[in-house]
Amino acid sequence: SAGCRTGSAAAQAPAGIDARMAWTAAASLCCRLVRAAPVRRRARRRTLCSAARSTDAVDREYADLNLRPLYPNRGHHLRIRQHVNPLSALFVEPTEPPEWTEVFEDPLLPLMVDIGCGSGRFLVWLAKNSGERRNYLGLEIRQKLVERTQFWVTELGLRNVYFMFANATVSFEQIVSSYPGPLSLVSILCPDPHFKKRHHKRRVLQTPLVDSITKNLCLGGRVLVQSDVLDVATDMRERFDGYSDVFEHADRIDKDLQCDNEGWLLDNPMGIRTEREIHAELEGATIYRRMYQKTRCFLPDYSIS
């Protein structure tokens, strides 16, 4: 409206080129403002609608956990930073392992570790519904998520799943090497991408963690990596491809696992999607997955270069 008033004032000025140019510029600005406002409002409605669809889809995927009655006690939505800098001084100290006999009913069962477990619903669902006799351990660097998820585990009375606040990059070895049973599966599913090249050192899968996974995984154990960001998925894939003397691509052993021409798994082998996976697929993204199976012992290279 300010632009229109300016235009009206310009129209009352003495006739001349300058007056006409001023009126034309003001009228053009007024029209652009009128056209722009509905576009911004429509974009916001689409964003809100997409977020609502994502929330509904997650709730449907995990409906049988029946977590919603627990929300009033602990809150469904938490204000959490999406990305955390694992190189911060807050996260450089390794986390001590738990007393395994206190957190698991049978600590000799095979163990699955989900690195960067996020909200934890994925692992809780597996612990409750998977037919395999296995323990499940979630490692997450955002403490509030761990506290809420462990609260759910306690309320559900599950004794085969446990969550820990830990920076897996520095804590995985100390935690997992103390577990009395075999490590049978490690998953790294849609980790923080840290897109900028100078931030790639913040990505969770660094060489020491790959070494530790490779060393501690039992023979026949598997590693599943996936991301909706091709660059991140390729980075993780290349790191494990570098251990071809230890790992085989699982689809070469298990004929139920099918890959595309690029070597990415066509289907989710876990039977349940992570929350990030649900959101990404709703947005039309592709999920890039690769699974490895340990077929030979890991022999560290102690040679001095």
Side-chain angles (χ1 to χ4, degrees), residues 208-223:
L209 179 56
V210 179
D211 283 346
S212 184
I213 292 171
T214 305
K215 178 181 73 174
N216 286 285
L217 198 67
C218 69
L219 281 176
R222 291 182 172 184
V223 179

Side-chain angles (χ1 to χ4, degrees), residues 66-77 148 151-152:
N66 198 29
L67 295 177
R68 188 165 289 281
L70 304 180
Y71 293 163
N73 297 334
R74 215 56 192 278
H76 176 27
H77 300 289
R148 183 182 65 177
F151 170 80
W152 290 342

Side-chain angles (χ1 to χ4, degrees), residues 220-275:
R222 291 182 172 184
V223 179
L224 173 63
V225 296
Q226 79 175 30
S227 178
D228 57 302
V229 180
L230 179 58
D231 174 65
V232 175
T234 301
D235 180 40
M236 293 192 292
R237 176 177 176 171
E238 289 175 350
R239 289 181 182 274
F240 282 103
D241 281 350
Y243 290 78
S244 58
D245 56 333
V246 178
F247 291 108
E248 293 278 354
H249 294 304
D251 59 280
R252 297 176 183 173
I253 300 170
D254 187 346
K255 299 306 178 184
D256 290 333
L257 299 175
Q258 301 296 318
C259 292
D260 63 16
N261 293 333
E262 301 296 324
W264 301 108
L265 288 176
L266 292 173
D267 300 306
N268 182 339
M270 300 305 297
I272 187 74
R273 295 180 295 172
T274 67
E275 290 188 45

Side-chain angles (χ1 to χ4, degrees), residues 81-305:
R81 291 187 63 183
Q82 185 175 4
H83 302 299
V84 174
N85 179 8
L87 303 181
S88 166
L90 296 171
F91 308 118
V92 296
E93 290 296 324
T95 301
E96 292 292 326
E99 290 292 335
W100 298 108
T101 55
E102 294 179 4
V103 300
F104 292 132
E105 187 173 37
D106 183 356
L108 296 179
L109 289 176
L111 179 68
M112 172 184 174
V113 178
D114 186 29
I115 295 175
C117 59
S119 74
R121 289 180 179 88
F122 167 76
L123 218 56
V124 172
W125 188 94
L126 288 175
K128 186 173 183 288
N129 295 289
S130 175
E132 296 192 50
R133 283 181 49 77
R134 176 186 279 166
N135 288 328
Y136 299 88
L137 177 66
L139 303 180
E140 173 56 47
I141 201 170
R142 290 164 292 185
Q143 189 168 8
K144 287 184 179 179
L145 289 177
V146 173
E147 291 172 354
R148 183 182 65 177
T149 309
Q150 194 56 42
F151 170 80
W152 290 342
V153 168
T154 302
E155 290 295 302
L156 293 172
L158 298 174
R159 292 276 290 141
N160 62 338
V161 59
Y162 185 69
F163 292 87
M164 294 183 65
F165 166 57
N167 179 357
T169 306
V170 300
S171 300
F172 184 89
E173 174 66 27
Q174 184 161 324
I175 292 171
V176 172
S177 63
S178 71
Y179 183 71
L183 176 63
S184 63
L185 177 60
V186 176
S187 58
I188 308 172
L189 310 177
C190 300
D192 288 349
H194 295 293
F195 290 105
K196 295 179 181 178
K197 189 171 182 179
R198 69 176 184 271
H199 291 163
H200 284 187
K201 60 187 177 182
R202 299 182 181 181
R203 290 179 175 177
V204 65
L205 196 61
Q206 303 295 330
T207 299
L209 179 56
V210 179
D211 283 346
S212 184
I213 292 171
T214 305
K215 178 181 73 174
N216 286 285
L217 198 67
C218 69
L219 281 176
R222 291 182 172 184
V223 179
L224 173 63
V225 296
Q226 79 175 30
S227 178
D228 57 302
V229 180
L230 179 58
D231 174 65
V232 175
T234 301
D235 180 40
M236 293 192 292
R237 176 177 176 171
E238 289 175 350
R239 289 181 182 274
F240 282 103
D241 281 350
Y243 290 78
S244 58
D245 56 333
V246 178
F247 291 108
E248 293 278 354
H249 294 304
D251 59 280
R252 297 176 183 173
I253 300 170
D254 187 346
K255 299 306 178 184
D256 290 333
L257 299 175
Q258 301 296 318
C259 292
D260 63 16
N261 293 333
E262 301 296 324
W264 301 108
L265 288 176
L266 292 173
D267 300 306
N268 182 339
M270 300 305 297
I272 187 74
R273 295 180 295 172
T274 67
E275 290 188 45
R276 176 58 205 163
E277 196 174 342
I278 295 169
H279 297 318
E281 289 187 336
L282 275 176
E283 295 167 0
T286 299
I287 306 297
Y288 302 95
R289 305 181 185 90
R290 202 76 183 102
M291 181 174 273
Y292 297 86
Q293 183 162 329
K294 185 174 179 179
T295 57
R296 288 174 289 276
C297 290
F298 174 58
L299 300 176
D301 184 5
Y302 294 109
S303 61
I304 301 176
S305 57

